[in-house]
């Protein structure tokens, strides 16, 4: 199983980056975890859209789903007969996206024919060919789901956006690689209360307690110093630490 970072920025893309997007591939299966601003163009450097098996959205903050909108337009008005791409949304996601469509366009139906929207449920595994994705609810400003991605006995835990909580620790337990947000790392500005994200040190603590091989820090504030964030996580985690960046690809 391979993880390729498409975009690794928090709220707005840093220069040369995109917001959240992570491509996981194994055999014929390719799953995009999140589809934030700027991911669509970079995604196609790695996989043709017709070959994308599915998209799974962790939560309904725009930095994690907003490129579904240009994707819908491209599929809808592109080549005739383009396949609908399955999109797995958190609970309530279908109503939310229909509400967004109502503000964007008079065309009905808006999403059908381009994207096949469906919702996942916590604890129910999504199966995409040889890859399984298990949503695990974490704690954030809105409902947010980390993902346990498995193929061929290997496990990737993706934190989504979360505070430090038991749920993210349980998600990471037993994973080989932890892909963890660190919005507050690398000299990012202080967030408004209540804080709804992790620092790099907290991401490192989750990795250390879970005993993962590799920690991939991601969801960087656009002004963050990524090397500094890695150094912060290093204070508490002795394993391999990587800073996500577009095109970073690792075998899990
Ligand atoms: Zn985010
Ligand atoms: Zn968020």
């Amino acid at each position: 199983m391979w993880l390729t970072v498409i975009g690794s920025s928090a709220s707005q893309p840093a220069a040369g980056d995109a917001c959240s997007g992570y491509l996981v591939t194994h055999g014929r299966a390719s799953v995009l975890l999140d589809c934030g601003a700027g991911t669509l163009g970079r995604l196609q450097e790695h996989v043709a859209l017709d070959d994308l098996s599915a998209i799974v959205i962790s939560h309904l903050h725009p930095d994690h789903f907003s490129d579904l909108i240009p994707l819908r337009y491209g599929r809808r008005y592109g080549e005739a007969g383009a396949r609908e791409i399955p999109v797995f949304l958190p609970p309530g996601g279908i109503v939310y996206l229909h509400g967004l469509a109502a503000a964007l366009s008079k065309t009905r139906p808006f999403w059908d024919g381009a994207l096949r929207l469906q919702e996942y449920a916590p604890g129910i595994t999504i199966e995409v060919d040889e890859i399984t994705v298990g949503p695990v609810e974490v704690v954030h400003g809105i409902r947010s789901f980390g993902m346990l991605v498995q193929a061929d006995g290997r496990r990737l835990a993706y934190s989504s956006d979360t505070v430090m909580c038991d749920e993210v620790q349980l998600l990471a337990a037993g994973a080989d690689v932890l892909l963890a947000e660190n919005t507050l790392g690398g000299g990012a500005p202080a967030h408004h209360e209540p804080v709804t994200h992790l620092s790099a040190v907290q991401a490192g603590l989750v990795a250390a307690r879970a005993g993962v091989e590799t920690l991939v820090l991601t969801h960087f504030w656009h002004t963050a110093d990524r090397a500094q964030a890695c150094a912060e996580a290093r204070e508490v985690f002795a394993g391999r630490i990587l800073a996500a960046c577009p095109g970073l690809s690792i075998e899990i």
Side-chain angles (χ1 to χ4, degrees):
M1 178 164 62
W2 284 81
L3 165 67
T4 300
V5 176
I6 306 299
S8 55
S9 287
S11 305
Q12 73 156 73
D17 198 1
C19 288
S20 296
Y22 311 97
L23 180 64
V24 180
T25 56
H26 180 71
R28 290 177 294 111
S30 54
V31 178
L32 180 66
L33 304 177
D34 284 337
C35 190
T39 55
L40 202 50
R42 291 189 172 277
L43 174 66
Q44 294 166 87
E45 295 171 354
H46 303 280
V47 64
L49 295 178
D50 281 335
D51 294 334
L52 189 62
S53 307
I55 300 171
V56 184
I57 302 296
S58 66
H59 67 297
L60 293 168
H61 277 155
D63 55 324
H64 296 259
F65 80 86
S66 66
D67 264 15
L68 292 180
I69 297 166
L71 179 59
R72 176 270 178 191
Y73 281 96
R75 302 299 287 176
R76 183 67 172 255
Y77 301 114
E79 292 176 32
R83 177 181 67 91
E84 283 184 320
I85 298 175
V87 178
F88 294 89
L89 299 164
I94 291 177
V95 166
Y96 182 93
L97 284 193
H98 282 313
L100 190 59
L104 286 169
S105 170
K106 290 186 168 58
T107 303
R108 295 290 176 274
F110 181 81
W111 300 100
D112 292 2
L115 305 179
R116 192 165 77 245
L117 304 184
Q118 47 212 300
E119 294 180 6
Y120 56 74
I124 306 295
T125 299
I126 302 164
E127 295 189 13
V128 183
D129 294 329
E130 300 138 337
I131 296 176
T132 63
V133 181
V136 175
E137 188 158 10
V138 290
V139 180
H140 187 46
I142 61 171
R143 292 192 79 181
S144 177
F145 292 83
M147 303 286 164
L148 184 63
V149 185
Q150 302 186 67
D152 213 13
R154 299 288 286 173
R155 291 154 60 109
L156 164 70
Y158 167 45
S159 69
S160 177
D161 287 4
T162 183
V163 298
M164 192 72 166
C165 57
D166 291 344
E167 289 82 353
V168 73
Q169 193 64 62
L170 282 170
L171 170 68
D176 301 294
V177 174
L178 172 62
L179 174 63
E181 74 124 299
N182 83 126
T183 316
L184 308 177
H191 273 55
H192 298 293
E193 295 291 337
V195 173
T196 56
H197 291 285
L198 296 178
S199 67
V201 172
Q202 289 174 321
L205 278 172
V206 175
R209 291 169 182 162
V212 300
E213 297 167 5
T214 300
L215 168 64
V216 182
L217 292 174
T218 193
H219 202 269
F220 290 98
W221 196 250
H222 61 278
T223 56
D225 180 330
R226 298 182 182 210
Q228 179 186 326
C230 289
E232 291 163 1
R234 173 63 66 209
E235 294 172 17
V236 293
F237 178 60
R240 181 168 70 147
I241 301 173
L242 300 171
C245 63
L248 174 73
S249 195
I250 61 169
E251 186 169 15
I252 294 171

